[in-house]
Amino acid sequence: MTLVSIAEELRDAVRPLRFSPPVSHVYSPLDYAWPAHRAYLERFGSAPREFVLVGMNPGPWGMAQTGVPFGEVAAVRDWLGISAPVGRPGREHPARPVTGFACTRSEVSGRRVWGWARELSGTPGRFFERFFIANYCPLLFLESSGRNLTPDRLPAAERRALEAACDVALTRSIGLLEPRIVLGFGAFATRSAARALAGAGVRVEQVLHPSPASPAANRGWSEQLTRRLAELGIALP
């Protein structure tokens, strides 16, 4: 089993799921942006890794465009060195078009995450010697207005069906990567990781989510992340 095969199984497991209003559109980058996602896993997902950072789900201007977690276009193309053809979702919201690597919008969360990684390590090779970044849920949910709807706001029954598939994928991925600590970006990712990995003997900790919707994240997010990692006993260069 590899991260690629785990992602393929997760993609297939969530494909038949259906979601009720207020969800109006569901984007699955593991389908239409699979070549870029596969390239990310093959290039940077070899085991083991000391630390795995887990996000919640794709953003409309990040992974939804590039297939890479927190995948702000410039960071993925220019720093990670990944560029691949990207298709379109089956049903596309007119306010949230997918133009792949031609997208001119910049996702703040992705810019912060990969900017921090670049500042920390200089090169992707050095960063991925110790770290790996993944998303817990592979789907983007949009309301009819085009507003992003996070997985924690799904109806309970729909959320449980989604979590069942995502828990399996995360558990298998962590089993391969064998990290010392799993770090959740924000409360939802941390709770999800703790539930999925309960009994697995893996330490799960929370770090601040980089979203610009968080006032705290807008006050020097990368510096706060670095301080938090030091608090957790993670030595950085």
Side-chain angles (χ1 to χ4, degrees), residues 87-152:
R88 309 290 282 269
R91 289 185 65 249
E92 189 174 67
H93 195 290
R96 297 292 181 267
V98 171
T99 56
F101 286 84
C103 178
T104 58
R105 292 282 297 265
S106 176
E107 184 187 68
V108 175
S109 294
R111 192 166 70 245
R112 287 174 173 171
V113 167
W114 294 115
W116 168 80
R118 185 174 57 249
E119 291 171 6
L120 176 70
S121 304
T123 66
R126 288 189 63 196
F127 178 75
F128 286 103
E129 287 175 0
R130 301 181 70 198
F131 293 90
F132 186 73
I133 296 178
N135 267 332
Y136 170 72
C137 169
L139 302 177
L140 167 68
F141 303 98
L142 298 173
E143 298 181 1
S144 59
S145 65
R147 186 174 71 168
N148 186 37
L149 186 141
T150 53
D152 57 310

Side-chain angles (χ1 to χ4, degrees), residues 30 33 42 54 83 88 114-115 218:
L30 298 194
E42 291 179 336
V54 179
S83 183
R88 309 290 282 269
W114 294 115
N218 295 328

Side-chain angles (χ1 to χ4, degrees), residues 37-234:
H37 187 75
R38 178 169 188 150
Y40 173 71
L41 298 180
E42 291 179 336
R43 188 173 302 182
F44 301 118
S46 59
R49 291 290 181 267
E50 283 186 81
F51 311 106
V52 174
L53 294 143
V54 179
M56 181 163 47
N57 71 314
W61 312 117
M63 186 174 176
Q65 302 294 331
T66 65
V68 174
F70 291 96
E72 197 253 354
V73 171
V76 173
R77 182 192 59 223
D78 302 335
W79 194 61
L80 297 180
I82 293 173
S83 183
V86 174
R88 309 290 282 269
R91 289 185 65 249
E92 189 174 67
H93 195 290
R96 297 292 181 267
V98 171
T99 56
F101 286 84
C103 178
T104 58
R105 292 282 297 265
S106 176
E107 184 187 68
V108 175
S109 294
R111 192 166 70 245
R112 287 174 173 171
V113 167
W114 294 115
W116 168 80
R118 185 174 57 249
E119 291 171 6
L120 176 70
S121 304
T123 66
R126 288 189 63 196
F127 178 75
F128 286 103
E129 287 175 0
R130 301 181 70 198
F131 293 90
F132 186 73
I133 296 178
N135 267 332
Y136 170 72
C137 169
L139 302 177
L140 167 68
F141 303 98
L142 298 173
E143 298 181 1
S144 59
S145 65
R147 186 174 71 168
N148 186 37
L149 186 141
T150 53
D152 57 310
R153 295 174 54 213
L154 293 170
E158 295 174 6
R159 190 177 67 248
R160 283 195 295 269
L162 175 65
E163 289 173 346
C166 295
D167 284 1
V168 169
L170 181 62
T171 301
R172 289 176 175 169
S173 297
I174 297 303
L176 278 177
L177 294 169
E178 300 181 306
R180 182 158 60 88
I181 306 177
V182 172
L183 301 155
F185 284 117
F188 176 81
T190 305
R191 288 196 306 269
S192 299
R195 181 190 62 248
L197 301 171
V202 180
R203 180 180 169 192
V204 178
E205 299 284 355
Q206 182 172 333
V207 297
L208 181 64
H209 195 284
S211 171
S214 164
N218 295 328
R219 297 191 293 269
W221 176 82
S222 62
E223 293 83 359
Q224 292 185 73
L225 176 60
T226 298
R227 286 197 300 270
R228 174 62 173 153
L229 297 184
E231 292 171 0
L232 296 173
I234 298 174

